[in-house]
Amino acid sequence: MANPSSIRTSSGIDDLKPWIESAIESACNFGDGCPTELADAMRYALLAPGKRLRPALVLMAGEACRKTLDSQLRDQLTPGAVAVEMIHAYSLIHDDLPAMDDDDLRRGRPTVHIKFDEATAILAGDALQAEAFRHLATRVSDPVKAAAAMGVLAEAASANALVGGQADDLAAEKGSPDRTLEHLESIHRRKTGALFAAALDLGAVLSGADESSRQTLAQYAADLGLAFQVVDDLLDHTADEADLGKRVGKDADRGKLTYPGLIGLDGARKKAHELVESAKCRASVFGTAGWRLTWLADYVLERTH
């Protein structure tokens, strides 16, 4: 891949998405022992049309740390990109279940438990979580990097992060007394922000980045992940269902903690702007090699779905 300054387009992800889609599709051979319906449900979730932000973040981080994104580095980053998207797909399957967020539409299509059935959806999520770690274990050739990458992803998917954030989010719906801005940020830094942070750290780990770069990416991830969720809450209040690809207004209807609900629409917009500006400041540390990170921060603020 060419030098960053020579490949800039209006989008910092368009040239990455074809490769990402190909890598994910190639990872969809789950073995002869996988039942056909289960495999179909896993593919349905994993190959659903989406922004592919998390696998793109793995590439963006590697490029920022190594100053370029050639084919050799891309191949080193591939397992991390695929694995983080598997964890993301698993989390969406489970989030959509009737016992969780109870959604029947995701990315403009029926959710997995609607397309198949609830039991198959649960098993597909379980299997994708395990597949993510198997992918890292078998596709990262350096055992030290493989172990580090698995540790990064396991922490992000753990009870302290993704799962714990989801648990607190559900508790808030049931009338948890802690309905403060600080508690809401704690939920989303784990539920949404943890996978953003893991994706960036996977890119750093697999590209052999130094500790300083990893710390800067962690700070960028904290800002970006929270900005993404603030905008998500705004879209739930203001977007058209056809544009968003899922039901709108459901969070407020269920009594969920949201930024507009706590600080109003104007306050939430201001919060998102502040977080994006902070993220762009972090990205500037990488100079021109971090141009995609800067682009992504602006994209998160401007997105409509």
Side-chain angles (χ1 to χ4, degrees), residues 39-108:
D40 288 346
M42 293 166 69
R43 291 189 189 98
Y44 181 81
L46 192 56
L47 298 176
K51 295 177 285 292
R52 306 301 187 206
L53 292 184
R54 290 152 191 85
L57 280 170
V58 178
L59 298 177
M60 292 177 184
E63 179 180 60
C65 293
R66 291 273 290 271
K67 309 303 181 186
T68 189
L69 188 58
D70 57 25
S71 59
Q72 182 179 7
L73 178 59
R74 187 188 66 188
D75 290 344
Q76 292 172 8
L77 298 171
T78 298
V82 171
V84 76
E85 190 68 355
M86 286 178 169
I87 293 292
H88 180 50
Y90 129 73
S91 73
L92 296 182
I93 294 172
H94 282 196
D95 279 359
D96 290 337
L97 290 168
M100 305 283 272
D101 287 350
D102 194 18
D103 272 313
D104 52 18
L105 194 66
R106 168 72 67 178
R107 294 172 173 174

Side-chain angles (χ1 to χ4, degrees), residues 38-206:
L38 177 60
D40 288 346
M42 293 166 69
R43 291 189 189 98
Y44 181 81
L46 192 56
L47 298 176
K51 295 177 285 292
R52 306 301 187 206
L53 292 184
R54 290 152 191 85
L57 280 170
V58 178
L59 298 177
M60 292 177 184
E63 179 180 60
C65 293
R66 291 273 290 271
K67 309 303 181 186
T68 189
L69 188 58
D70 57 25
S71 59
Q72 182 179 7
L73 178 59
R74 187 188 66 188
D75 290 344
Q76 292 172 8
L77 298 171
T78 298
V82 171
V84 76
E85 190 68 355
M86 286 178 169
I87 293 292
H88 180 50
Y90 129 73
S91 73
L92 296 182
I93 294 172
H94 282 196
D95 279 359
D96 290 337
L97 290 168
M100 305 283 272
D101 287 350
D102 194 18
D103 272 313
D104 52 18
L105 194 66
R106 168 72 67 178
R107 294 172 173 174
R109 308 190 311 168
T111 49
V112 177
H113 69 276
I114 297 295
K115 176 71 174 179
F116 296 88
D117 57 60
E118 193 172 338
T120 301
I122 293 169
L123 293 172
D126 292 345
L128 281 169
Q129 184 185 42
E131 285 292 330
F133 293 100
R134 183 171 75 162
H135 199 80
L136 288 173
T138 58
R139 302 299 178 89
V140 179
S141 58
D142 183 329
V144 174
K145 287 183 179 179
M150 285 188 281
V152 166
L153 197 57
E155 177 61 29
S158 73
N160 290 318
L162 175 63
V163 177
Q166 177 70 2
D168 277 349
D169 196 24
L170 290 171
E173 286 184 33
K174 297 173 183 175
S176 169
D178 192 351
R179 300 185 67 83
T180 63
L181 186 61
E182 291 76 14
H183 185 57
L184 179 60
E185 290 194 2
S186 171
I187 290 172
H188 291 311
R189 287 197 185 280
R190 289 173 291 153
K191 183 180 175 184
T192 303
L195 273 191
F196 277 88
L200 288 156
D201 204 22
L202 283 169
V205 166
L206 295 175

Side-chain angles (χ1 to χ4, degrees), residues 18 30 151 165 177 205 223 244 265:
F30 303 116
V205 166
D223 292 331
L244 198 57
L265 289 173

